[in-house]
Amino acid sequence: GESVGLHLPTLSVQEGDNSIINCAYSNSASDYFIWYKQESGKGPQFIIDIRSNMDKRQGQRVTVLLNKTVKHLSLQIAATQPGDSAVYFCAENLPSGGSNYKLTFGKGTLLTVNP
Amino acid sequence: KAGVTQTPRYLIKTRGQQVTLSCSPISGHRSVSWYQQTPGQGLQFLFEYFSETQRNKGNFPGRFSGRQFSNSRSEMNVSTLELGDSALYLCASSSGLAGAHLAKNIQYFGAGTRLSVL
């Protein structure tokens, strides 16, 4: 079954607020995580990634936090804008030797930004 | 640089038919992965092709198959369509560097093909 899941299926925030999207994973062997953003009618778009040897990584207005102790991942979006409205997916990578890998995606969180 | 292109964007088929979907990866990318996206199951990995060979496979029945051509373009075929095959089929390409960690092989997705089975 799914080893990556999301705590909240929907999140509604006001424009300008900070958003936090959470993700739980169950396999402690996962060594790499990615956040994707999917807007209506489009494919998932890469946002930010983090390796398991890190606990924080920052991008432009986004920060990903990784807590390996409780197998939890979060995506923080600063000063959320209407253009941030989308479904956000976390994905984990389980290494399986050599160049074989498989990304497992969570079911997604719908973020709605109210003007 | 052009992104991942999937054709067609929309398809309507009836049960029992077969369908072929096409994906053109980003220029220079050698790996193509296919995913099925449904509201109930989310994004599920179908298979990955690299240098015309299937390198990785998800847990889908044999009705789902694919291939990759020498120019890295890929096709996915679904035979004997069932109602439950209705979904958004996404293709993702990456450089597919052999032996390199996935962090150097970020997958870039196309807009998908919306398949409806009636």
Side-chain angles (χ1 to χ4, degrees):
Chain A
E2 286 279 335
S3 68
V4 177
L6 291 160
H7 294 306
L8 296 173
T10 61
L11 178 63
S12 183
V13 301
Q14 290 298 123
E15 181 177 359
D17 287 351
N18 296 332
S19 303
I20 300 177
I21 301 171
N22 297 302
C23 178
Y25 64 96
S26 58
N27 199 315
S28 57
S30 295
D31 68 347
Y32 176 63
F33 305 87
I34 308 176
W35 281 99
Y36 281 91
K37 170 188 180 184
Q38 187 173 23
E39 297 175 90
S40 181
K42 297 182 180 180
Q45 176 188 3
F46 172 86
I47 302 174
I48 192 168
D49 59 352
I50 188 168
R51 292 204 192 205
S52 60
N53 60 355
M54 302 170 68
D55 53 18
K56 180 179 180 179
R57 190 162 189 218
Q58 287 185 292
Q60 187 177 12
R61 283 201 306 118
V62 295
T63 301
V64 56
L65 299 177
L66 175 62
N67 185 330
K68 293 180 288 293
T69 302
V70 295
K71 294 198 280 290
H72 183 267
L73 195 66
S74 69
L75 177 70
Q76 300 179 359
I77 304 173
T80 314
Q81 303 167 0
D84 295 327
S85 294
V87 177
Y88 289 80
F89 295 94
C90 63
E92 66 175 315
N93 171 60
L94 275 173
S96 55
S99 56
N100 290 329
Y101 56 84
K102 185 172 71 174
L103 277 180
T104 301
F105 285 81
K107 292 198 185 299
T109 291
L110 172 61
L111 174 65
T112 302
V113 182
N114 302 308
Chain B
K1 188 184 269 192
V4 178
T5 304
Q6 291 188 246
T7 56
R9 289 296 310 275
Y10 303 93
L11 266 177
I12 299 176
K13 293 286 186 179
T14 56
R15 279 183 302 172
Q17 287 187 309
Q18 74 165 13
V19 67
T20 299
L21 313 181
S22 180
C23 173
S24 293
I26 291 172
S27 177
H29 282 186
R30 297 169 63 190
S31 169
V32 173
S33 297
W34 288 90
Y35 294 84
Q36 181 195 65
Q37 186 175 31
T38 59
Q41 298 299 318
L43 266 164
Q44 293 190 296
F45 174 75
L46 281 155
F47 30 65
E48 181 212 2
Y49 284 87
F50 177 81
S51 292
E52 303 178 63
T53 300
Q54 189 180 87
R55 186 163 72 172
N56 211 347
K57 189 177 186 305
N59 299 319
F60 277 81
R63 300 186 297 107
F64 292 82
S65 63
R67 60 177 174 169
Q68 186 180 36
F69 302 95
S70 58
N71 62 358
S72 294
R73 189 178 71 85
S74 177
E75 289 182 347
M76 191 192 95
N77 185 276
V78 187
S79 62
T80 320
L81 283 166
E82 300 177 358
L83 296 179
D85 297 333
S86 295
L88 179 67
Y89 289 89
L90 291 159
C91 162
S93 79
S94 70
S95 58
L97 297 171
H101 190 272
L102 184 57
K104 296 187 183 297
N105 285 293
I106 292 170
Q107 295 188 11
Y108 296 90
F109 284 83
T113 294
R114 173 75 63 184
L115 172 65
S116 297
V117 182
L118 307 179

